[in-house]
Amino acid sequence: MSALDDLRLGARFAVNGGREGWIRTILTAIGVGCGVALLLVTSAIPNALAARDQRDNARGEFVGEQSLDKPGRDTLLIGTVWSDYHDLSVRGRVLRPEGPGAPVPPGLSVLPKPGELAVSPALKELLDSPEGDLLKKRLNGPVTAVIGDQGLAGPNELAYYQGSDTLVRDEASRINRFQGFPQEGLDPILMLLVLVAFVVLLIPVAVLIAAAVRFGGERRDRRLAALRLVGADGRMTRWVAAGEALVGALFGLVVGAGLFFAARSMAGLITLERISVFPSDLAPAPALVVLVCLAVPAAAVLVTLLAMRGVVVEPLGVVRTAKPVRRRVWWRVLLPVAGLALLLPQIRRGDGGGHFDQNFVVLGTAMLLIGVTVLLPWVVEAVVTRLGKGPVSFQLAVRRLQLSSGTAARAANGIAVAVAGAIALQMLLSGTGEHYTRDNGASESEMQVAVHAASPAAPGADQLRKDLAAITGVEKTFAYARTGLGDSPSGGEHYADVTVADCTALRELVELTSCKDGDVFLAAGKDLKGFTPGHAYFLDPAMPGEPESRLSWTLPAGAPTVPLKPAVGRYPVNGVFATPSAMPAAVKPSYDHRFTLKLDLGVPNVVEHVRNTAYAADPMVQAMGMTDGQTDHRYVQIRRGVLAGAACVLLLIGASLLISQLEQLRERRKLLAALVAFGTKRSTLGWSVLWQTALPVGLGLLLAVAIGYGLGAVLLLMTGFRVGVDWRAIASMSGLGAGVVLLVSLLSMPALWRLMRPDGLRTE
Amino acid sequence: MTSAAPAGSLLTATGLHKAYGSTPALDGASFSIHPGEVVAVMGPSGSGKSTLLHCLAGIVTPDSGLITYDNRNLSAMADRERSALRRSDFGFVFQFGQLVPELTCVENVALPLRLNGAKRKDAERTALSWLERLEVDTVAAQRPGEVSGGQGQRVAVARALAPNPRVIFADEPTGALDSLNGERVMELLTDAARSTNAAVVLVTHEARVAAYSDREVVVRDGKSRDLTLEFTG
Amino acid sequence: MSISHTLLGLLEAGPRHGYDLKRTFDEKFGHDRPLAYGQVYATMSRLLKNGLVEVDGTESGNGPDRKTYAITDAGITDVEQWLASPEKPEPYLQSTLYTKVVLALLTDRPAGQLLDTQRAEHLRLMRNLTDRKRRGDLADQLICDHALFHLEADLRWLELTAARLERLAAEVRR
C-alpha cells in the first residue's frame, strides 16, 4: 500500500472508528477549530484596521501644503469639537460652507444646514435613548441625516456633523476637499505593538494546534497495535495515524471557519478601545486563508509523524522508546539568544519617530518565544532529575516527570509561551501607555474649561465663568489667562508661559507666602534659562507664519522664585506667574482663558452639565477632566483585553491539558486501584496529579516570566521608554497560568476518584 | 458454609453478600484465617473469589455480612480507617499493574512504608533488605519496566511484606509467571509469611499454587466451602 | 475401580437380573471394555454371601441364571460409604471417579460434594508433595513435580466435571 492509501485508511478510522474514534476526531476538530478561528481573526485584524484607517483618512480635514487663505466657491470651514459624554468620546465637526461647491464629507449626500445635525447610527441610538438625555441638551439641533458607513471608522463610532453659519476662520480650518494626513504607515510604536501582539497570539495557537492533533493518542496507538497484528508495518501505522489526524484537522478547519464567521458577525457589537470594526472589514487576506487551509492539515500530518517517531507500535502493544535522548542545551539556548541578537540593534530606533525593521522585530520576537518552547523541555528535565526528595505524592509526580518529561513540558509549553508573550505585551502597553493616553475620563473632581483667545466667545469669558459657577455641583471656579513670553518679537530662542490669575487662583498652582495684585513670581525648578529678572522681553511672541509681536514687557527685577505645587503637573506651566495688574492691558486680547473647576461629584451628572454649559457658550470651547496619577480607563481596558485574550488561550490549552491528563489516568486504572488497595490516601494521589502538572507549568511560568520580562524590556528599550518591572502584569499572568493548573487538576479529580474505586482491580 | 469464627482466628467473615448491579458476586460466603496460616481461595473464574478477597481486605464493602479483623468490626469502619488499616496491617500482591512504573524497584517497595509515615532513608533501607531476601536486590535501582516478570513479581512480594503486615492478600500472584518462577515466588512468599507469622489469603485457580497453602476454601456461585475443615480437618 | 460397588449402586435403582446389570454397566461405564458375564456372576455371589444383596426371585427359563437381585440396607450403606470416601489420588483415576459421579447422580446423592471431597484429598497430597519438594533435593523436586502435574490434571478434571454436573445429570438420567 502506498502512503496515500494508508492516509485514506486512517481517515476512515477517524470517521468510522466507533464512538472512541469519533470522540477523538471531534476533540481534535474543536482544538484545531479554535486555533484556526484565532488565526483567521488575527490575520483579518490588519485588514480591518487598514479599512478603518482608510475611511478615517478619507474624511480628514488636513489642509495640506498650501493653505487656503481666501474663501472660495469650493471652500468649507470645518471646526473640530472634542466632546466627551460620560466616558464615551464623540467626534464632532462643525461645517460652514463658503460656496456652493463646498465638499461634502463621506457618508453624507448634502451638508447639514445651519443648526442641523447629521449623526452616526450609534450616536442616533444614544440620543434616542434615555441615557442620551443630557447629550441631547448639548446637541440640540434637529437630526436631519444619518452618516453612512463609509463615513465612519467603525459601526459603534459616535460622530456628528453640525451645520453652522457663525463659524469663523480663526477657530476652524478652511478646506476644499476631505483628506487625511499623508500616511506614513503606522506609528512605529503602534506597529511594534501590533507585530508583537501577532506573534504572541499566534505561537500559542500553533502550540495548541500541535497539541490538539495529539488528543487521544494513547488509545489510538492501541488501535494501531491491532492493525500491526493483522500485518501492517511500522511505516504504515504512522501514515494511518497521520490520516486520522488529517481528518481531525480538516474538520477543525470547518469548525474554525464556522467560529470565525460567528466571531465576525459579532464583531460589530464589540467596541474595544473605542475601536469597533464592521464585520465586512474583518476579512483575512485570501493568501493567508489559503496558507491556513494548507498549513494546518500539513502541520497535523507532520506533527503526528514526528510524534510517532518516539513510539514503536508493536503488534501486541505500544512501546515508547524507553530512554529518551538526553536533551542538549546549546542549540536550545541559541534560539533565544539569536532572537535577542536580532532585537538589540533595534533599541532606541522608535525614539523620535524612527522605524524598526519589521522583519527583525517579528523574527526576533518569534525566536525568543519559540525559545521558551525549546528551552522548557530541557529546563524541566534538568530540574526534575535533580528532584526526588519530599513527600510520596511529590516523589510519584517527579518520577513520572523524569520518565516522560517531554509530554509534560509540551503541555506546559503552550501556557509558558502564552504567558511570556502576554507579559511582554503588557509591559510594552503599560510602558507606552502614557504616550497614547489622552486624559478625558469623567470621574475626576477637577475640570478645566479652555476658551481660546481666538474665539469670539472670549470676550464673553466672564459670562461663561459665571454660567459655570452657577451649575449645581461646581464648588469653586478659578480663572486663569495665559500668554507667552519670548526673547525676540519673532519667537526667538527661549519661550516661557505666563499665567495670569488673581492671588487665590495662583495659590492653587504655586506656594505663595505673600501675594498682592501687581506681583510677579517665577516658578522654581522649571527651566527659565534665558530669562533674567530686570530685563525686557516680548509678550505673545509670534508663531511661525504669524505677524510679529511688539509687546515689550520687563520681567520685574525683584520677582521672587516660588515652589510649584505638586498637582501643577496637570496644568502645563513652565515659567512666570503674574497677577492681572502686573500685565499691560494690550496683551489681554492674546489671552487664552481657562477655568479650573472643583466639582462635587456627588451631584449627578455635574460633569455633563459643565460640558453642556461650555458647549452652549461655543462648541469650540473645550471642557476636559484632569486626572490624578496614571489610572486611566484606557490602559485598564487594554490590560483587560490582553488578560482576556491570554485567558482564552490559556483555557484552550488547559482543556488540552485536561484531556491528556484524563487519558493518562485512564491508562493507569489498574495501578491506581492497586495503590488504593494498599491504603494510599486519595489526597496523596490527588496531590501527585497536581504536582505533575504544577511542576512543569511552574517551571514554564518561571521561564516565561524571565523571557517575557526580557522581551518586554528589549521592546520598551526599542521604543525609548523607561523599563520598569510591571509586577501587576507578571502577577496576573502567572496567576492565570497557575489558575489553569489548579483548574485542570481540580477537574481531573472526579475521574481520579472514580478510577480509584476497587472496580479497577477486577480482571476482565 | 463454615460455621462461626473458630477461636483464635485473625480475620473472619460470615454471611457475606455483595452484588455488582444485578449480578451477585458473593451470596453468603464465609471465611476465617489464623495468624501464620496460608489459606488458598480457589474456584472457577467469576465465582466471586476476588470479590471475597476485596471484602476481606476492606477494599470493597459487602452489602451485608460481618467481617472482623483482630476483634474489630471491619465492615463498620469508615473508608479512612480501612485505608489506614490496609496501610499498616495488610500487604497486597496482584497479578499485574501493581508496581508504579516510574519508581525504581526499591522505591516501589519503600512506598507502603512511606505511606505509613516512615522516613525516606529508613524506608529504602528496609526495602532493600526485603529485596535481598527475595533475591532481587540486583534490580533495586531499575524501573519495573526494565526487569523480568518474575523479578517484578518478587519486587511486588517484597513490597507486600515490607511493612510487616499481619495479613497478606495475594490475588493470582503467579498468574503472569511460568511455573518455575511462579513456584519460586510462592516459596518465597509463604516462607517469609510463615517466618513473620503473617496470614496469607491466596486467591488462585492453580492447584499447584494452592498446594503452598495450609488449607483450601472453594468459592462457587458466591458461596464458600472450607473443604479442608469439612473433610480432612 | 470397584466393580462390586458399582453393581451394588446400580441395584439401588431397583432389582435387576444379572444380565440386565451387565447391560446397564456396559452402557454407562463399559465403553471400550464390556464386563464379562462371569465377573457379574462372581461378584453377585460374593455380595450375596456378604449380605449386601438378596435374591428377589428367579425367573423360569433355560438361561443360565435368571435370578433377580435386590440391594439390602447393608448394601445401601456400603454404597454410601464408598461414594463418600475419597479415592487415593493416583494417576488415571478418572474412570473410578467418573463411575462414582454417575452413580451418585443416578442415586440422587450429592455428586458435587463427592467431587469436593476428592478435591480436598488431591490437594492434601499435593500439599504434602509440595512440602517434600521444598525440603528435598533436585531429584525429590523432579519426582514430586511429576506427581504434582498429574494430580493437577486430575484436579482440573474435577473442576471441569463440577462445572458440568448439571448437564451430566440430565444425560445420565435420560
Side-chain angles (χ1 to χ4, degrees), chain C:
Chain C
M1 174 160 69
S2 167
I3 289 173
S4 61
H5 282 116
T6 312
L7 293 177
L8 202 54
L10 285 176
L11 278 180
E12 245 195 278
R16 278 172 215 251
H17 295 144
Y19 187 71
D20 230 12
L21 272 174
K22 172 195 151 46
R23 240 186 29 225
T24 315
F25 183 94
D26 287 349
E27 197 181 294
K28 295 225 184 299
F29 312 113
H31 305 307
D32 42 355
R33 264 195 320 156
L35 205 59
Y37 184 74
Q39 205 181 345
V40 176
Y41 180 76
T43 309
M44 280 301 126
S45 45
R46 203 169 66 241
L47 292 173
L48 208 56
K49 199 164 66 199
N50 293 343
L52 299 176
V53 294
E54 59 193 14
V55 174
D56 200 37
T58 313
E59 265 180 40
S60 57
N62 12 351
D65 182 13
R66 304 298 286 171
K67 274 183 198 144
T68 309
Y69 299 97
I71 192 164
T72 63
D73 286 348
I76 291 174
T77 315
D78 195 52
V79 171
E80 197 147 313
Q81 272 172 6
W82 177 64
L83 284 180
S85 61
E87 294 296 312
K88 184 179 182 320
E90 60 184 36
Y92 314 119
L93 198 59
Q94 308 90 297
S95 50
T96 315
L97 286 176
Y98 176 72
T99 309
K100 278 189 164 183
V101 169
V102 170
L103 266 180
L105 290 173
L106 281 173
T107 56
D108 284 330
R109 286 190 172 84
Q113 200 168 324
L114 183 157
L115 287 170
D116 280 350
T117 312
Q118 190 61 48
R119 220 189 125 83
E121 184 62 18
H122 263 72
L123 211 65
R124 198 166 61 88
L125 184 60
M126 285 180 80
R127 232 175 251 128
N128 290 339
L129 287 168
T130 304
D131 209 37
R132 226 177 97 193
K133 196 171 93 177
R134 286 170 88 159
R135 289 175 224 278
D137 56 11
L138 186 61
D140 273 334
Q141 284 175 16
L142 288 174
I143 290 163
C144 290
D145 270 337
H146 184 259
L148 279 167
F149 279 118
H150 279 290
L151 289 169
E152 191 187 19
D154 278 353
L155 261 177
R156 284 204 191 147
W157 181 85
L158 287 169
E159 264 162 23
L160 211 68
T161 311
R164 295 179 181 172
L165 217 48
E166 270 176 45
R167 254 178 69 196
L168 184 65
E171 269 184 33
V172 161
R173 285 175 194 147
R174 198 177 48 204

Side-chain angles (χ1 to χ4, degrees), chain A residues 40-353:
Chain A
L40 289 176
V41 169
T42 30
S43 65
I45 285 174
N47 266 0
L49 291 181
R52 190 178 178 283
D53 278 352
Q54 203 187 345
R55 280 194 306 272
D56 194 34
N57 209 34
R59 64 181 185 179
E61 58 255 21
F62 178 62
V63 180
E65 295 297 313
Q66 64 278 23
S67 52
L68 302 164
D69 292 332
K70 293 187 171 57
R73 62 178 307 280
D74 63 344
T75 60
L76 175 77
L77 287 179
I78 181 165
T80 306
V81 183
W82 288 112
S83 195
D84 285 356
Y85 184 61
H86 295 301
D87 56 349
L88 304 169
S89 92
V90 183
R91 178 192 197 264
R93 294 293 183 269
V94 178
L95 307 177
R96 183 182 183 186
E98 292 178 307
V104 177
L108 289 183
S109 49
V110 289
L111 288 167
K113 293 189 173 61
E116 284 181 358
L117 289 165
V119 300
S120 69
L123 182 58
K124 185 171 167 47
E125 200 179 318
L126 179 64
L127 288 173
D128 290 346
S129 73
E131 289 89 62
D133 278 350
L134 280 169
L135 187 60
K136 217 173 160 64
K137 282 187 186 139
R138 197 183 311 169
L139 305 178
N140 52 5
V143 174
T144 55
V146 173
I147 306 170
D149 285 354
Q150 69 271 32
L152 298 172
N156 298 342
E157 189 183 36
L158 300 175
Y160 70 89
Y161 292 103
Q162 186 165 33
S164 164
D165 49 8
T166 56
L167 191 67
V168 293
R169 173 71 179 90
D170 281 341
E171 56 183 5
S173 309
R174 176 174 286 135
I175 58 172
N176 58 4
R177 64 192 167 102
F178 283 89
Q179 64 173 354
F181 288 97
Q183 289 279 341
E184 294 176 20
L186 229 45
D187 175 327
I189 293 174
L190 215 58
M191 187 73 203
L192 183 67
L193 271 176
V194 171
L195 289 177
V196 172
F198 261 90
V199 178
V200 161
L201 265 173
L202 293 187
I203 289 179
V205 167
V207 174
L208 177 73
I209 290 181
V213 297
R214 293 193 199 199
F215 284 166
E218 305 198 358
R219 294 207 158 194
R220 186 223 29 225
D221 292 350
R222 257 180 288 157
R223 243 175 313 144
L224 293 178
L227 210 62
R228 288 276 278 126
L229 199 58
V230 298
D233 61 23
R235 192 190 58 85
M236 277 171 69
T237 54
R238 280 195 290 280
W239 281 102
V240 169
E244 281 198 52
L246 183 63
V247 170
L250 288 175
F251 277 119
L253 280 181
V254 176
V255 171
L259 287 175
F260 171 71
F261 282 113
R264 197 171 110 127
S265 67
M266 285 192 304
L269 306 175
I270 298 162
T271 307
L272 186 72
E273 267 312 287
R274 299 191 177 160
I275 292 175
S276 54
V277 195
F278 288 110
S280 56
D281 288 348
L282 211 51
L288 277 175
V289 175
V290 171
L291 189 70
V292 166
C293 287
L294 291 178
V296 168
V301 170
L302 209 67
V303 165
T304 312
L305 289 180
L306 275 176
M308 294 292 287
R309 250 187 356 177
V311 178
V312 183
V313 179
E314 292 289 347
L316 292 175
V318 180
V319 184
R320 258 153 258 278
T321 35
K323 283 259 167 168
V325 253
R326 185 140 190 102
R327 297 188 165 86
R328 267 185 283 273
V329 71
W330 64 266
W331 70 269
R332 291 170 193 272
V333 174
L334 205 64
L335 205 62
V337 165
L340 213 57
L342 283 177
L343 290 177
L344 285 176
Q346 308 290 318
I347 283 182
R348 298 225 164 260
R349 288 249 193 124
D351 214 356

